[in-house]
Amino acid sequence: MATIKDVAARAGVSIATVSYYINNTHSISTATRARIAQAIEELNYVPNAQGRNLKMNTSKEICVILPELEDHCFTEILKGILAECDSRGYTLNISSTYNVVNKEQDLIRNAISNKYAGILLITCQPRNTEFFKETLLHHNIHSVFLCRMPQQLNVIYYGFGDYDTANFLTRRLLSCHYKSLLIMTGPEEYFSVQESISGFEDAIDHFPIPVYRRILTTDTTREGAFKVSLQTWISDPPQAIITTSPTICQGVVEACHLAHLRIPEDICIITMDADNWYRSSMDPGIIRTNRQAYTMGQMSCRSLINAIEQNGMPETNFHIMKDRILDYPLTLPVPRSLDHEKRDLTTDTLKIACADLPTIHSLEAVCTQFEQEYHIRPYFEFFSLKDLFQLIQEDSHKEHPSYDLYLYDTSWFDYLRETDCLMDITDCYFSMPLMRQYFIQKNMNNCTHHKRIYGFPIIGGTQFLLYRKDLFTDPDIMREYQHNHKISLRPPKTWKEFNTIAAFFTRKFNPESPVEYGTAIPIHLNEELALEFEPRMWNAGGSFYDEYGRVCLNTPENRNALGLLMKAFQYSPPNIRETQDVFSLFAAGKIAMCICFTEYAAQVQNSTHTEYLYRCGYSLIPGYTAVNVGWHFGLSPNSRSLPMVKRFFNWLYQQNTSYYTSILGGAPALTHPYNNHELRRIYPWIDLTPKAMETCRSRIYPLRTKKGELIPPGAFEKIICDGLRTFPSSPEEYEQCLTAMQREYNRLIAH
């Protein structure tokens, strides 16, 4: 086994320097840290952070690593472990991974480093056999796995009989004439999940009458279960749902409450849960199984301590514990008739013209609650940006508008207001004081002119940087970048540094790059390409205007910004059409970093699942001056639906509604989600939003021609983006490009 002396020799430093690195007690240069990290990795050295002299003190300390603390079964298991440790004179170190793979790996390495006597683990990486061999088995640390069995590994395992439980529950439902069933589980890579699905399917396969079955997998959080429920079955609910954990059940129940599905009258919900006595207070109507979680905690801890004290593996190392629900009669409610249709209580329809955006789809998913409470059905009709802008101009001037609400972009506001397309709703705004105090003020400013209000913000936010944290912290990559550029690899603080890093991660310029491209830039939509240029322009000291307020595009600062953007295109895949394509590339691990909008960030997380926190880092964009973006709901001046719209706004801006849309992937313009610790853990980038909003800038485009006619906002963006798409490649061409843009603008305002 390697020693600290071996690491020092391999890294070419003193033993003291290695000790400083391990204990993080002294400042060490980035290059030295990279060499030490490489030596530790090559030698597979696990440092003893407590020192040899503390070994006896930690020999009776056990490490417990749980994926989460919200799951009732896990907390009951923990109680059993604590009781057994107390009775045997052992102490516990308790940690949670939140189902993040790299966090679990760090905790296991830390347990080895601290010379814990043993580890009790509910893993979130059961297929990572090689890791467990290289750590737990290689260092001969005693361990017990619970609930999630690692593949092809001879270890002590304790689990529940999930096949028998799921099979029993399904057969009982079928015998009570249920014909539409759904099982919702965690990730299918978990052994317990595979067993549950097999038990569910086998019961149905052996039933003589056809049964409509659905199997849904999600992550193990209540937020994930809530999201999957609203996006899949809530509009066509089954008669019964079996969930494999209490946290998944909580998400399902929340979705049912939102959709006004009564439990158990409209839907029977059964969840696999720990045995306890206070069931009447835990969501009455939910049927809970009786897993012996506390006993499992005691028995697994007893096995671990016996293995520690006897220094060997027990004769029986595979333990499956029976669910007590199998031993007792199970009374089920009468299933809802599949032929029964809900009585339609809707008396009015609220028609909304909008763009195809994630937040709007999130809002559409939760509007069932509004319809049930107010008997008003929101009807969303989606349009392209160009068609939506044109529709608002035409529909708002009709005596009887076809739509009650219009979704409009921040950059459209001045034009729509000047053309009398938006109703002044200032009185409506000030009549709802409890609602308006929670708006982010900068979002509210985007629909305000001379203290008059012309809409309510529905989507707020700005840009930030997403980058591959796993690449930026890799010792080999860090060492190579340091050697090539004489500076540390970090999230870029300037656009020049952004290009340097993007080049480093582009194989055309660095054949050793672990990804093909350093970044990705969309070029198809003017509304997206312009937002890549403007932050670079502002950071370079440029502007669309001179000191007299005249449009002046060909300036040294703008030429510098144009050069920065054109160089960035060299590190991007060609012909990236739109932002969705950028995020797909990032989620697939094909690019190192990109500029992201709050509106789309949750889609990256959905693509990477629990590895999101492991793979992704986030920071303010280079230069710290992002574009202020947002969408707003406005009314036609001829609308007769203000009372109905006011009820909609009162519902829309409630705290819970903003939470729901955030969980589903939206970007509300309210402060509630940014202050919620659970949402901040799920979506860590939202911590950046208040900081980014402080320094972001609004897009201000020319409004009128020389003759006083209004210029549509898209016209100026088109001139800028058409110039960018010529892809000039030298300072001379940059100047020619900006001169051509100026010429097109002069032609535009001359008409």
Side-chain angles (χ1 to χ4, degrees), residues 29-173:
S29 70
T30 303
T32 301
R33 294 181 70 86
R35 292 205 309 275
I36 295 172
Q38 182 184 19
I40 289 174
E41 183 178 3
E42 291 174 352
L43 295 172
N44 197 23
Y45 171 69
V46 177
N48 180 359
Q50 299 300 324
R52 217 176 264 188
N53 61 324
L54 296 180
K55 182 176 181 181
M56 293 305 296
N57 292 337
T58 58
S59 62
K60 301 218 30 146
E61 186 170 7
I62 291 173
C63 176
V64 177
I65 302 175
L66 303 175
E68 57 188 90
L69 300 177
E70 292 84 0
D71 191 298
H72 180 236
C73 283
F74 296 163
T75 56
E76 289 299 305
I77 289 172
L78 180 58
K79 290 177 184 177
I81 293 171
L82 281 165
E84 186 65 22
C85 280
D86 287 344
S87 68
R88 301 285 289 268
Y90 281 75
T91 58
L92 278 185
N93 180 286
I94 304 166
S95 300
S96 176
T97 66
Y98 296 106
N99 286 296
V100 178
V101 170
N102 76 309
K103 186 171 179 63
E104 179 182 310
Q105 293 177 351
D106 289 344
L107 289 170
I108 290 173
R109 293 190 183 101
N110 184 65
I112 297 171
S113 171
N114 283 283
K115 299 293 184 182
Y116 289 129
I119 298 176
L120 288 154
L121 171 66
I122 302 178
T123 182
C124 60
Q125 48 172 345
R127 294 183 179 178
N128 199 349
T129 305
E130 286 304 312
F131 171 78
F132 295 125
K133 287 181 178 179
E134 293 171 2
T135 52
L136 299 178
L137 299 189
H138 177 78
H139 293 282
N140 197 31
I141 184 168
H142 297 286
S143 55
V144 174
F145 285 78
L146 298 92
C147 301
R148 302 171 185 175
M149 186 172 66
Q151 291 188 343
Q152 300 176 338
L153 208 63
N154 184 27
V155 294
I156 305 173
Y157 173 76
Y158 279 81
F160 298 113
D162 294 306
Y163 175 92
D164 290 339
T165 304
N167 189 271
F168 169 78
L169 295 173
T170 307
R171 285 188 289 106
R172 287 291 297 125
L173 288 166

Side-chain angles (χ1 to χ4, degrees), residues 494-653:
T494 67
W495 289 106
K496 183 177 180 180
E497 187 178 7
F498 178 91
N499 284 350
T500 301
I501 296 172
F504 175 76
F505 282 113
T506 302
R507 287 194 188 138
K508 179 180 178 181
F509 300 94
N510 176 17
E512 302 301 319
S513 172
V515 290
E516 190 170 357
Y517 291 98
T519 189
I521 302 174
I523 64 172
H524 177 62
L525 296 176
N526 294 338
E527 298 85 354
E528 296 178 344
L529 180 55
L531 302 190
E532 290 279 349
F533 176 67
E534 289 176 67
R536 291 171 170 86
M537 178 184 70
W538 293 329
N539 189 232
S543 173
F544 292 134
Y545 303 92
D546 63 16
E547 63 270 28
Y548 303 107
R550 299 172 301 193
V551 172
C552 185
L553 301 177
N554 188 8
T555 65
E557 295 81 7
N558 289 358
R559 289 196 293 272
N560 184 23
L562 181 58
L564 289 169
L565 180 58
M566 292 304 111
K567 287 182 180 178
F569 274 114
Q570 300 177 55
Y571 320 126
S572 169
N575 302 318
I576 298 297
R577 289 183 57 81
E578 54 192 4
T579 299
Q580 296 281 14
D581 300 326
V582 173
F583 297 150
S584 296
L585 288 169
F586 185 86
K590 296 182 179 180
I591 60 176
M593 56 184 177
C594 64
I595 304 302
C596 185
F597 296 92
T598 311
E599 169 71 6
Y600 295 99
Q603 296 183 23
V604 178
Q605 187 201 35
N606 293 341
S607 301
T608 54
H609 300 291
T610 57
E611 293 186 7
Y612 177 81
L613 294 176
Y614 168 56
R615 298 185 62 191
C616 302
Y618 48 92
S619 72
L620 297 174
I621 70 167
Y624 308 134
T625 307
V627 177
N628 179 16
V629 295
W631 289 83
H632 316 273
F633 276 143
L635 281 80
S636 164
N638 298 321
S639 174
R640 294 171 173 80
S641 303
L642 187 57
M644 184 166 59
V645 168
K646 187 174 179 179
R647 286 195 290 273
F648 180 66
F649 283 146
N650 269 314
W651 168 83
L652 175 60
Y653 294 115

